[in-house]
Amino acid sequence: MIKFMLTGVGIATIACFSACNQGEKKVDATSPTPDAVASLVDSTMNPTQDFFEYANGGWIKRNPIPPEYSSWGIGNLVQEELYKRLRIINEKAVETPTDPISHKIAAFWKSGMDSIRINADGIKPIEADLKAIDAVTTAQQLIQLAAKQNIFTGAMCGLYVAQDAKNSDAMALQFYQGGLGLPDRDYYFNTDNRTAKIRQLYPGHVAKMLQFTGLDSNAAKTAATEVVALETMLAKSSRKLEALRDPEANYHKMAITQLNKIAGNIDWVDFVKQQGIKGNADTVIVGQPEFYTALSNAIKSQPLATWKNYLKWHLINSNAQQLSDTIANTSFAFYGTLMRGQDKQKPRWKRVLDAEEGAMGEALGQLFVKEFFNATAKKRYEALVEDIRGALKTRIEHLEWMSDSTKQKALFKLSKITKKVGYPDKWKDFSAMDIKSLSYPENVAAARTWWHNYEINKLGKPVDRTEWDMTPQTYNAYYNPSNNEIVLPAGIFTVPGKRDEELDDAVVYGYAGASTIGHEITHGFDDQGRQFDAAGNLKSWWTKDDETKFNQRAAVMVRQFNSYIVVDSLHINGQASLGENIADLGGILLGWDAFKKTAQFKKGDKIAGYTPSQRYFMGYSLGWLSHTKKEALAKAVLTDVHSPAKFRVNGPFSDVDAFYEVYSVKPGDGMYRADSARVRIW
């Protein structure tokens, strides 16, 4: 499911420190643990040439990427700590389940860890669905079955329930492009060597997976060729990554009968009914109408047998990780090893925790916060949010390029941003989720069914603005423009091996204040977020002149990031990554403004040989501590709206005047950009 409104920081970056008092930190000089940032430095590097390698290179040299990962960094270290904590929660639930939640957790964990049963069952868990596909004899039957299986597989298209972008008080049924087996439409067309190799090997992988469904090798090979050709047809009418970031261009509200007119070979009223949606679906929001026209045409032009094999492929592909090791490993060889560079799978217990997070993560979160996150930490980070909000308020007030009328509306929107810190005040009720002593695939299917029903039941009901779209133990964060809110889960406050008293304000303001809180608040005013008003509606509140000036300044950033080569000949997509790049730069500026008010900054005493100002920039860089295999970097360029870690440090730092002053950056240095080429937005 794609939701353009859930923009957040990248996986390796959102872990925050366990606390950040508003006064000066007292650092224990006799602490047995290495300094949080000084221990990472590569002293052979010059910070004015490549700050990322300088600030993080020492750690990167000492910490190779483990074989089961495609990248390794601070986010992985945080996740390792979370894995350990969550495993304890699961094992305790198995030993002594005390309430309905712990009974469900225990049942899910035991079924997922029962590899003997999973391997013995093989393809059995999806046999009934495969037989249903085989029984299809007409296009109408095909569409009805596809609608039912779409709930679990995402075949054909994307369908979800979310707030109406232009009426944030209403939930709406939304149609999005989808139905592809490769991560993005560009995989079907790009000509660079890496992408071309993946595309060349893709039909062979589809054929291997189809053999598990009962096709012999020759039939599977023919079917795979036809399935890939069908997906390529859908990809041709799918929008590029950067085009999906325009909220206005991806908003087409219409009666569902109108969708029948532009995609008439599918009865969309019936399609919706097959998903269990009984009412409140007369009007839908279609993201990319041309995709649905192409899908409709393909229903008529492509043989029924091809569509049936397409459904089989998406059925087994979406369930592969819950099936036998043979099937799961075959899937991993393509998506894990070839596409991401991982040499082996994570151990089963970690994969089960990953699945459990998707199935009932908030139920786990209720137990997690009881043990690992208290009310004091929640209040502490709520206070830091207000520091950052105040910094942005001052910046808006002093903008020279923005008119007073737009400033007043921007300040009003800023004042209305809701902060959600740590964990929800109201928890989801999982009592109806039918997790019990079943097989692992059955429990996963039960969770998927519950989530589908949970989402479609929102139609026609008031928007619940207290809801969280991430779990407390998630190491991520997001800004939701429809709610005008920033959400900062408890998991982002975890730093393995560090106590609160070891972290000085410089590091905390650079890391937690800039790369997370400041980043998310800035999302409310990036190229997407700025188009939503204080109430969360997609509505223009800018003067035309101010809008033009913003776009001109944003274009400078697009050109800057377009110039960066990530791997081989692949450049960053400056337009697709614009929102995240704006948020990175904004976060750095806001964190810096807030940090300058602290006692540590004013005193200027060195810690571990570094000034408070230097430690601030090193602290921000710690948030992006990671290195990534080339395969994963290439995939990220095509599919991720975030720039790779190195460029999330070096890119925005090159636009920050304070960085030039702290490190004496001069013309000719690698980090230098002429003043006229620096990005000046917020």
Side-chain angles (χ1 to χ4, degrees):
M1 180 172 67
I2 301 172
K3 286 188 178 182
F4 73 83
M5 67 285 293
L6 296 183
T7 51
V9 290
I11 281 179
T13 67
I14 29 50
C16 282
F17 292 102
S18 55
C20 62
N21 295 325
Q22 300 308 294
E24 180 183 11
K25 292 285 180 182
K26 293 183 178 179
V27 180
D28 183 359
T30 64
S31 172
T33 60
D35 182 81
V37 290
S39 61
L40 313 176
V41 168
D42 181 354
S43 58
T44 67
M45 294 296 298
N46 186 332
T48 68
Q49 298 300 325
D50 185 332
F51 193 85
F52 177 86
E53 294 296 337
Y54 162 78
N56 294 327
W59 183 91
I60 289 172
K61 287 180 178 178
R62 297 189 299 270
N63 293 273
I65 300 172
E68 64 267 35
Y69 291 91
S70 59
S71 64
W72 192 248
I74 184 66
N76 302 102
L77 300 179
V78 171
Q79 183 59 61
E80 290 299 303
E81 183 70 18
L82 294 175
Y83 275 141
K84 294 174 185 177
R85 294 176 176 183
L86 294 173
R87 183 171 187 171
I88 291 170
I89 289 173
N90 275 268
E91 291 175 343
K92 283 184 178 179
V94 171
E95 292 175 4
T96 54
T98 57
D99 52 43
I101 289 178
S102 59
H103 275 90
K104 292 180 190 296
I105 290 172
F108 193 95
W109 175 258
K110 286 192 291 186
S111 69
M113 293 301 292
D114 189 356
S115 58
I116 294 176
R117 180 178 180 179
I118 292 169
N119 286 322
D121 284 347
I123 200 71
K124 181 180 177 181
I126 63 170
E127 277 184 343
D129 295 310
L130 290 170
K131 289 179 179 178
I133 295 172
D134 284 331
V136 167
T137 58
T138 67
Q140 183 180 3
Q141 291 175 355
L142 174 84
I143 295 167
Q144 289 177 337
L145 182 60
K148 293 176 182 177
Q149 292 193 354
N150 173 271
I151 298 170
F152 308 109
T153 68
M156 284 195 177
C157 61
L159 192 110
Y160 63 94
V161 175
Q163 284 164 278
D164 184 334
K166 295 190 176 182
N167 181 11
S168 63
D169 289 328
M171 303 299 293
L173 183 61
Q174 318 227 9
F175 286 83
Y176 223 73
Q177 66 187 43
L180 306 180
L182 291 174
D184 181 85
R185 56 92 61 204
D186 285 351
Y187 276 92
Y188 295 84
F189 307 113
N190 281 15
T191 58
D192 63 277
N193 290 336
R194 288 185 185 276
T195 308
K197 180 181 179 181
I198 290 169
R199 184 168 58 249
Q200 179 185 1
L201 297 176
Y202 181 49
H205 171 65
V206 175
K208 289 179 185 178
M209 298 296 283
L210 285 174
Q211 284 185 262
F212 292 124
T213 71
L215 274 66
D216 63 41
S217 58
N218 289 331
K221 184 177 180 180
T222 299
T225 300
E226 294 170 349
V227 166
V228 174
L230 173 56
E231 288 187 356
T232 303
M233 290 177 63
L234 299 179
K236 284 181 180 177
S237 294
S238 299
R239 296 185 185 180
K240 288 178 172 286
L241 185 64
E242 59 268 29
L244 295 174
R245 295 196 65 258
D246 184 338
E248 188 68 51
N250 289 278
Y251 182 96
H252 304 274
K253 195 171 187 176
M254 62 183 69
I256 196 167
T257 53
Q258 185 179 347
L259 181 57
N260 280 334
K261 292 179 180 178
I262 65 174
N265 293 316
I266 299 173
D267 183 343
W268 291 104
V269 173
D270 186 61
F271 192 95
V272 168
K273 287 181 179 178
Q274 296 297 329
Q275 295 226 339
I277 301 173
K278 298 177 181 179
N280 303 304
D282 294 337
T283 302
V284 297
I285 297 171
V286 181
Q288 304 77 32
E290 69 277 12
F291 171 84
Y292 282 86
T293 299
L295 174 63
S296 173
N297 292 340
I299 290 291
K300 187 174 182 179
S301 67
Q302 298 304 298
L304 185 63
T306 299
W307 275 110
K308 290 168 70 171
N309 287 326
Y310 167 89
L311 292 184
K312 287 183 179 181
W313 152 238
H314 281 270
L315 177 67
I316 192 169
N317 187 42
S318 62
N319 286 281
Q321 289 302 313
Q322 287 80 54
L323 299 175
S324 68
D325 285 343
T326 301
I327 296 172
N329 290 338
T330 301
S331 177
F332 176 80
F334 184 80
Y335 288 105
T337 303
L338 177 64
M339 295 196 72
R340 295 182 56 82
Q342 295 168 261
D343 295 325
K344 69 177 184 179
Q345 290 226 61
K346 295 178 186 177
R348 174 168 290 277
W349 68 273
K350 289 184 179 179
R351 285 182 279 144
V352 174
L353 286 178
D354 289 341
E356 189 178 52
E357 174 72 9
M360 50 196 300
E362 197 166 296
L364 274 173
Q366 294 181 50
L367 302 180
F368 175 84
V369 297
K370 287 180 182 178
E371 296 192 41
F372 302 113
F373 192 77
N374 57 36
T376 300
K378 184 180 177 79
K379 291 179 180 178
R380 184 175 290 138
Y381 276 85
E382 287 175 341
L384 183 53
V385 170
E386 295 309 318
D387 279 358
I388 300 298
R389 192 198 304 261
L392 181 53
K393 179 178 181 292
T394 300
R395 280 194 166 265
I396 292 173
E397 290 171 340
H398 290 87
L399 285 178
E400 296 181 354
W401 61 269
M402 182 178 282
S403 69
D404 288 340
S405 62
T406 303
K407 279 184 183 180
Q408 292 308 310
K409 293 173 182 177
L411 291 169
F412 180 69
K413 178 177 181 177
L414 176 63
S415 72
K416 293 297 182 181
I417 290 179
T418 300
K419 59 179 182 290
K420 295 179 178 177
V421 179
Y423 50 86
D425 295 322
K426 181 178 71 175
W427 299 97
K428 290 182 177 69
D429 180 3
F430 290 94
S431 58
M433 185 180 284
D434 197 21
I435 303 295
K436 52 190 177 184
S437 296
L438 300 170
S439 70
Y440 185 42
E442 286 175 314
N443 275 333
V444 171
R448 289 174 174 175
T449 299
W450 184 91
W451 275 106
H452 175 72
N453 292 333
Y454 176 80
E455 293 297 331
I456 66 175
N457 285 335
K458 293 178 180 180
L459 285 171
K461 296 178 181 177
V463 173
D464 181 3
R465 294 182 184 267
T466 68
E467 185 179 11
W468 285 46
D469 286 317
M470 286 181 179
T471 67
Q473 64 274 18
T474 300
Y475 55 92
N476 208 331
Y478 67 90
Y479 170 79
N480 180 353
S482 290
N483 278 348
N484 193 26
E485 65 182 4
I486 59 169
V487 183
L488 309 166
I492 67 174
F493 305 133
T494 303
V495 167
K498 287 295 174 185
R499 303 188 307 273
D500 173 57
E501 60 267 24
E502 293 179 276
L503 303 172
D504 55 301
D505 276 344
V507 170
V508 171
Y509 275 73
Y511 189 63
S515 73
T516 301
I517 298 172
H519 176 102
E520 299 306 336
I521 285 181
T522 304
H523 268 311
F525 303 91
D526 68 14
D527 63 311
Q528 279 185 302
R530 72 167 191 81
Q531 298 184 55
F532 292 77
D533 65 16
N537 294 310
L538 180 57
K539 180 181 179 182
S540 178
W541 49 272
W542 292 61
T543 68
K544 289 295 183 181
D545 186 53
D546 288 338
E547 189 172 271
T548 297
K549 290 177 180 177
F550 177 93
N551 289 332
Q552 289 172 341
R553 290 164 184 269
V556 177
M557 178 164 272
V558 172
R559 290 193 294 270
Q560 176 184 348
F561 279 81
N562 277 343
S563 69
Y564 294 138
I565 298 176
V566 177
V567 60
D568 302 331
S569 60
L570 295 175
H571 288 245
I572 292 176
N573 186 330
Q575 190 64 52
S577 60
L578 178 60
E580 297 300 329
N581 296 332
I582 290 174
D584 285 340
L585 176 56
I588 294 165
L589 296 172
L590 298 180
W592 175 255
D593 290 349
F595 174 58
K596 287 193 296 182
K597 296 181 179 181
T598 64
Q600 183 187 6
F601 176 83
K602 293 173 181 176
K603 286 186 177 180
D605 295 341
K606 289 185 177 181
I607 297 175
Y610 298 95
T611 68
S613 295
Q614 291 171 330
R615 292 178 66 81
Y616 170 81
F617 288 103
M618 295 164 74
Y620 174 86
S621 301
L622 171 63
W624 312 106
L625 173 68
S626 66
H627 53 139
T628 304
K629 292 186 176 180
K630 289 184 177 181
E631 296 87 347
L633 283 172
K635 177 177 181 291
V637 170
L638 296 181
T639 63
D640 197 345
V641 296
H642 303 83
S643 299
K646 178 176 182 176
F647 301 96
R648 299 189 75 170
V649 174
N650 290 354
F653 277 8
S654 295
D655 294 314
V656 176
D657 293 342
F659 175 76
Y660 286 73
E661 296 168 5
V662 172
Y663 286 95
S664 300
V665 181
K666 295 178 174 58
D669 292 337
M671 296 294 297
Y672 181 85
R673 291 181 70 80
D675 186 77
S676 60
R678 294 176 202 169
V679 180
R680 313 283 190 186
I681 302 177
W682 300 108

